[in-house]
Amino acid sequence: MMPFPGGIDADANATLLFSLVAAVIYAFTIGMPPRLTRSAVKTLAVAMLSVLAFQQGGPWLLVAALALSAVGDAFLSRDGDKAFLGGLASFLAAHVLYVALFLRAGGGTGLLGAEPWRAAIALAMAVFGLAMLVALWRRVGPGLRLPVGVYVAAILAMGISALTMSNVSVIGGAVSFMASDGLLAAEKFLVPAISPHRVWMRYAAWALYYGAQLAIILGFLLG
């Protein structure tokens, strides 16, 4: 049974399937050296989700956030500080759009204080964000501290703003997004280069990240 009306050949279902296939293919190439085909597959996985949101008349903020995320994926699929900063900037912009989207579609920040479980998750997110910032501050170079600090603040704002939503899929996606970013940061800056843990961390980060984007878009389109 397909999530959208029509069979597998319907535009929405075909686009979603294309995205899923690209995500799986990229998972098999994570350990390979950066190449154009590898970058293209990674970019397509989320770019097709942006196309899906557009096809289905989703909010323009959702379409744009997914598109910027795909641009960030393209940058992060390459090596070097410039590519890293390009990816950081793209995802920073995507998180800002997600914050605007969640606040516009949600029930207001008053929900955070009205329902204890939301406040508890928001507090856990804040502790996670602070711990990540403190750990990274000691390990990144002086030139990266400000960009990393701004990014941590942005993803924390994204997570907390998602808690104003009533859609559990969107909230779960935001939590998964934060977990993915935490794993990526740990793998890049905190874990020794020779550590065997870096392998599973890369796979887990990709699964959490793609799952997060998928949960958010399906939450909006089907919720």
Side-chain angles (χ1 to χ4, degrees):
M1 184 177 179
M2 304 304 293
F4 297 100
I8 195 173
D9 56 341
D11 287 346
N13 291 323
T15 302
L16 178 59
L17 184 60
F18 192 171
S19 170
L20 289 167
V21 170
V24 172
I25 292 175
Y26 175 71
F28 282 101
T29 69
I30 285 178
M32 298 180 182
R35 291 180 180 172
L36 183 59
T37 52
R38 179 174 174 269
S39 298
V41 170
K42 183 178 185 181
T43 305
L44 276 173
V46 173
M48 295 309 296
L49 293 182
S50 179
V51 171
L52 175 60
F54 178 78
Q55 286 176 335
Q56 294 300 107
W60 74 266
L61 287 169
L62 176 63
V63 176
L66 288 165
L68 282 168
S69 296
V71 173
D73 287 333
F75 276 117
L76 294 182
S77 68
R78 315 304 295 177
D79 287 334
D81 288 342
K82 289 184 178 180
F84 175 74
L85 288 173
L88 203 68
S90 299
F91 277 108
L92 174 62
H95 287 316
V96 170
L97 293 183
Y98 272 136
V99 170
L101 174 64
F102 298 156
L103 291 179
R104 177 179 293 185
T109 55
L111 283 176
L112 298 178
E115 300 184 27
W117 68 269
R118 295 180 190 270
I121 296 176
L123 179 60
M125 286 179 172
V127 171
F128 172 77
L130 180 60
M132 188 164 64
L133 181 59
V134 170
L136 292 175
W137 199 264
R138 299 173 179 174
R139 300 297 293 270
V140 302
L144 286 177
R145 285 177 178 171
L146 179 59
V148 167
V150 172
Y151 184 83
V152 171
I155 194 170
L156 178 59
M158 184 276 298
I160 292 177
S161 65
L163 290 170
T164 67
M165 299 280 296
S166 59
N167 192 298
V168 176
S169 179
V170 174
I171 295 173
V175 172
S176 183
F177 213 142
M178 292 186 70
S180 171
D181 274 2
L183 273 176
L184 278 175
E187 188 269 330
K188 183 172 180 64
F189 296 111
L190 304 179
V191 177
I194 60 173
S195 172
H197 294 294
R198 298 188 72 178
V199 176
W200 72 260
M201 291 174 76
R202 290 173 183 170
Y203 285 101
W206 174 248
L208 286 168
Y209 164 72
Y210 182 77
Q213 299 282 31
L214 188 62
I216 291 170
I217 186 177
L218 292 181
F220 272 93
L221 299 184
L222 301 177

mmCIF file of all heavy atoms in Angstrom, residues 46-64:
data_model
loop_
_atom_site.group_PDB
_atom_site.id
_atom_site.type_symbol
_atom_site.label_atom_id
_atom_site.label_comp_id
_atom_site.label_asym_id
_atom_site.label_seq_id
_atom_site.Cartn_x
_atom_site.Cartn_y
_atom_site.Cartn_z
ATOM 1 N N VAL A 46 17.456 13.740 -0.632
ATOM 2 C CA VAL A 46 16.625 14.764 0.013
ATOM 3 C C VAL A 46 16.069 15.751 -1.003
ATOM 4 O O VAL A 46 14.987 16.299 -0.813
ATOM 5 C CB VAL A 46 17.420 15.481 1.123
ATOM 6 C CG1 VAL A 46 16.641 16.657 1.702
ATOM 7 C CG2 VAL A 46 17.757 14.496 2.232
ATOM 8 N N ALA A 47 16.781 15.963 -2.108
ATOM 9 C CA ALA A 47 16.254 16.851 -3.152
ATOM 10 C C ALA A 47 14.917 16.335 -3.678
ATOM 11 O O ALA A 47 13.993 17.123 -3.942
ATOM 12 C CB ALA A 47 17.253 16.974 -4.298
ATOM 13 N N MET A 48 14.780 15.021 -3.795
ATOM 14 C CA MET A 48 13.520 14.454 -4.268
ATOM 15 C C MET A 48 12.406 14.617 -3.229
ATOM 16 O O MET A 48 11.232 14.694 -3.575
ATOM 17 C CB MET A 48 13.696 12.974 -4.632
ATOM 18 C CG MET A 48 14.642 12.731 -5.805
ATOM 19 S SD MET A 48 14.254 13.744 -7.261
ATOM 20 C CE MET A 48 12.642 13.134 -7.713
ATOM 21 N N LEU A 49 12.767 14.695 -1.953
ATOM 22 C CA LEU A 49 11.756 14.989 -0.932
ATOM 23 C C LEU A 49 11.250 16.425 -1.092
ATOM 24 O O LEU A 49 10.069 16.705 -0.886
ATOM 25 C CB LEU A 49 12.334 14.786 0.465
ATOM 26 C CG LEU A 49 12.691 13.355 0.865
ATOM 27 C CD1 LEU A 49 13.209 13.320 2.306
ATOM 28 C CD2 LEU A 49 11.496 12.413 0.712
ATOM 29 N N SER A 50 12.145 17.330 -1.476
ATOM 30 C CA SER A 50 11.728 18.704 -1.744
ATOM 31 C C SER A 50 10.783 18.748 -2.936
ATOM 32 O O SER A 50 9.767 19.465 -2.921
ATOM 33 C CB SER A 50 12.959 19.581 -2.009
ATOM 34 O OG SER A 50 12.586 20.914 -2.285
ATOM 35 N N VAL A 51 11.102 17.971 -3.960
ATOM 36 C CA VAL A 51 10.223 17.883 -5.139
ATOM 37 C C VAL A 51 8.868 17.324 -4.740
ATOM 38 O O VAL A 51 7.811 17.812 -5.178
ATOM 39 C CB VAL A 51 10.872 17.001 -6.226
ATOM 40 C CG1 VAL A 51 9.881 16.727 -7.362
ATOM 41 C CG2 VAL A 51 12.136 17.654 -6.768
ATOM 42 N N LEU A 52 8.878 16.312 -3.875
ATOM 43 C CA LEU A 52 7.631 15.707 -3.405
ATOM 44 C C LEU A 52 6.777 16.729 -2.658
ATOM 45 O O LEU A 52 5.554 16.804 -2.864
ATOM 46 C CB LEU A 52 7.947 14.520 -2.495
ATOM 47 C CG LEU A 52 6.755 13.837 -1.809
ATOM 48 C CD1 LEU A 52 5.784 13.279 -2.838
ATOM 49 C CD2 LEU A 52 7.255 12.729 -0.875
ATOM 50 N N ALA A 53 7.403 17.503 -1.782
ATOM 51 C CA ALA A 53 6.664 18.524 -1.034
ATOM 52 C C ALA A 53 6.050 19.542 -1.988
ATOM 53 O O ALA A 53 4.911 19.994 -1.794
ATOM 54 C CB ALA A 53 7.588 19.214 -0.036
ATOM 55 N N PHE A 54 6.777 19.902 -3.027
ATOM 56 C CA PHE A 54 6.261 20.851 -4.024
ATOM 57 C C PHE A 54 5.100 20.242 -4.800
ATOM 58 O O PHE A 54 4.070 20.888 -5.017
ATOM 59 C CB PHE A 54 7.391 21.257 -4.976
ATOM 60 C CG PHE A 54 6.954 22.201 -6.062
ATOM 61 C CD1 PHE A 54 6.777 23.550 -5.791
ATOM 62 C CD2 PHE A 54 6.716 21.735 -7.351
ATOM 63 C CE1 PHE A 54 6.369 24.425 -6.793
ATOM 64 C CE2 PHE A 54 6.309 22.598 -8.353
ATOM 65 C CZ PHE A 54 6.133 23.950 -8.073
ATOM 66 N N GLN A 55 5.270 18.987 -5.224
ATOM 67 C CA GLN A 55 4.215 18.294 -5.973
ATOM 68 C C GLN A 55 2.905 18.249 -5.194
ATOM 69 O O GLN A 55 1.822 18.408 -5.761
ATOM 70 C CB GLN A 55 4.642 16.856 -6.294
ATOM 71 C CG GLN A 55 5.685 16.704 -7.372
ATOM 72 C CD GLN A 55 6.093 15.250 -7.536
ATOM 73 O OE1 GLN A 55 5.972 14.444 -6.612
ATOM 74 N NE2 GLN A 55 6.592 14.901 -8.714
ATOM 75 N N GLN A 56 3.017 18.021 -3.894
ATOM 76 C CA GLN A 56 1.841 17.820 -3.054
ATOM 77 C C GLN A 56 1.307 19.113 -2.445
ATOM 78 O O GLN A 56 0.415 19.081 -1.597
ATOM 79 C CB GLN A 56 2.171 16.827 -1.935
ATOM 80 C CG GLN A 56 2.468 15.419 -2.423
ATOM 81 C CD GLN A 56 1.284 14.811 -3.170
ATOM 82 O OE1 GLN A 56 1.313 14.676 -4.386
ATOM 83 N NE2 GLN A 56 0.224 14.474 -2.452
ATOM 84 N N GLY A 57 1.858 20.225 -2.893
ATOM 85 C CA GLY A 57 1.371 21.501 -2.387
ATOM 86 C C GLY A 57 1.730 21.769 -0.948
ATOM 87 O O GLY A 57 0.974 22.454 -0.235
ATOM 88 N N GLY A 58 2.852 21.248 -0.501
ATOM 89 C CA GLY A 58 3.290 21.486 0.871
ATOM 90 C C GLY A 58 3.685 22.929 1.087
ATOM 91 O O GLY A 58 3.868 23.688 0.126
ATOM 92 N N PRO A 59 3.832 23.352 2.336
ATOM 93 C CA PRO A 59 4.235 24.736 2.634
ATOM 94 C C PRO A 59 5.551 25.084 1.941
ATOM 95 O O PRO A 59 6.461 24.253 1.871
ATOM 96 C CB PRO A 59 4.391 24.733 4.158
ATOM 97 C CG PRO A 59 3.589 23.571 4.641
ATOM 98 C CD PRO A 59 3.667 22.540 3.560
ATOM 99 N N TRP A 60 5.638 26.315 1.462
ATOM 100 C CA TRP A 60 6.863 26.699 0.750
ATOM 101 C C TRP A 60 8.081 26.657 1.667
ATOM 102 O O TRP A 60 9.200 26.390 1.208
ATOM 103 C CB TRP A 60 6.706 28.075 0.120
ATOM 104 C CG TRP A 60 6.743 29.232 1.090
ATOM 105 C CD1 TRP A 60 5.685 29.839 1.687
ATOM 106 C CD2 TRP A 60 7.918 29.917 1.559
ATOM 107 N NE1 TRP A 60 6.106 30.855 2.517
ATOM 108 C CE2 TRP A 60 7.470 30.933 2.456
ATOM 109 C CE3 TRP A 60 9.281 29.776 1.323
ATOM 110 C CZ2 TRP A 60 8.341 31.788 3.107
ATOM 111 C CZ3 TRP A 60 10.162 30.636 1.979
ATOM 112 C CH2 TRP A 60 9.696 31.628 2.856
ATOM 113 N N LEU A 61 7.870 26.893 2.955
ATOM 114 C CA LEU A 61 8.985 26.803 3.894
ATOM 115 C C LEU A 61 9.534 25.382 3.974
ATOM 116 O O LEU A 61 10.747 25.173 4.109
ATOM 117 C CB LEU A 61 8.534 27.257 5.291
ATOM 118 C CG LEU A 61 8.305 28.764 5.472
ATOM 119 C CD1 LEU A 61 7.604 29.038 6.792
ATOM 120 C CD2 LEU A 61 9.626 29.523 5.406
ATOM 121 N N LEU A 62 8.652 24.394 3.862
ATOM 122 C CA LEU A 62 9.071 22.992 3.861
ATOM 123 C C LEU A 62 9.855 22.674 2.593
ATOM 124 O O LEU A 62 10.913 22.039 2.647
ATOM 125 C CB LEU A 62 7.852 22.077 3.974
ATOM 126 C CG LEU A 62 8.103 20.572 3.901
ATOM 127 C CD1 LEU A 62 8.979 20.114 5.061
ATOM 128 C CD2 LEU A 62 6.784 19.803 3.895
ATOM 129 N N VAL A 63 9.331 23.112 1.466
ATOM 130 C CA VAL A 63 10.011 22.891 0.176
ATOM 131 C C VAL A 63 11.412 23.502 0.211
ATOM 132 O O VAL A 63 12.401 22.864 -0.177
ATOM 133 C CB VAL A 63 9.198 23.496 -0.983
ATOM 134 C CG1 VAL A 63 9.956 23.343 -2.306
ATOM 135 C CG2 VAL A 63 7.827 22.840 -1.082
ATOM 136 N N ALA A 64 11.501 24.733 0.686
ATOM 137 C CA ALA A 64 12.780 25.438 0.706
ATOM 138 C C ALA A 64 13.756 24.825 1.707
ATOM 139 O O ALA A 64 14.959 24.705 1.434
ATOM 140 C CB ALA A 64 12.555 26.910 1.035
#
